[in-house]
Amino acid sequence: DAGITQSPRYKITETGRQVTLMCHQTWSHSYMFWYRQDLGHGLRLIYYSAAADITDKGEVPDGYVVSRSKTENFPLTLESATRSQTSVYFCASSESATVYGYTFGSGTRLTVV
Amino acid sequence: DAKTTQPNSMESNEEEPVHLPCNHSTISGTDYIHWYRQLPSQGPEYVIHGLTSNVNNRMASLAIAEDRKSSTLILHRATLRDAAVYYCILIPAGTALIFGKGTTLSVSS
């Protein structure tokens, strides 16, 4: 199916564990983005990527690692999960960071216990 | 940072037009004006964007002031499904979408 998909939809993990959230888009958009959304903080940009092998930090990159070996995939890894990383994570893609609209995935709800 | 100012909340009645204002007095010439909305328990959804001229699409219209220091998102006939948080965002060249607090739109039947 065409679109942008995130997996898993829900994840519960323990403090200190590594967890990877997946994002896949079928349009071959150049740009991909990761956001987190928390009550009281709204949506915040974690990392973004302009193309394969090019990534940039957003507003809140600490504690996260990203990679982009293929244009269609942009995984987000929490190397050692903390309770403060409990959040809803949204992935997005766009042909441009400014000139075109972004399409967002349905989100991954991550709980760190 | 490119900043916008929006009312915290607005109310509308179903089937009436809604005008959502956004002030961006420090906008620069290359900043694009984007509007997104987020329905309850869903991800953000692109609505419309523009640079200098007014824009129309199937969802809404975007009216941009001549001096570009303000813009208005127009929903021509509000429905209950339009109840959401609406974000007006400026994106300077070389950066990405950064969300503010937005306007919470309530629609009554």
Side-chain angles (χ1 to χ4, degrees), chain B residues 34-62:
Chain B
H34 281 237
W35 283 83
Y36 288 78
R37 70 181 186 181
Q38 188 172 24
L39 280 63
S41 302
Q42 294 191 24
E45 177 185 28
Y46 166 77
V47 178
I48 201 166
H49 79 285
L51 183 61
T52 56
S53 303
N54 294 344
V55 184
N56 300 298
N57 66 21
R58 62 174 180 81
M59 288 182 70
S61 295
L62 175 60

Side-chain angles (χ1 to χ4, degrees), chain A residues 31-53:
Chain A
Y31 284 80
M32 295 187 75
F33 312 83
W34 275 106
Y35 291 85
R36 60 177 290 177
Q37 186 166 32
D38 312 294
L39 283 174
H41 286 285
L43 284 146
R44 292 181 289 176
L45 178 65
I46 305 171
Y47 269 98
Y48 64 106
S49 167
D53 298 322

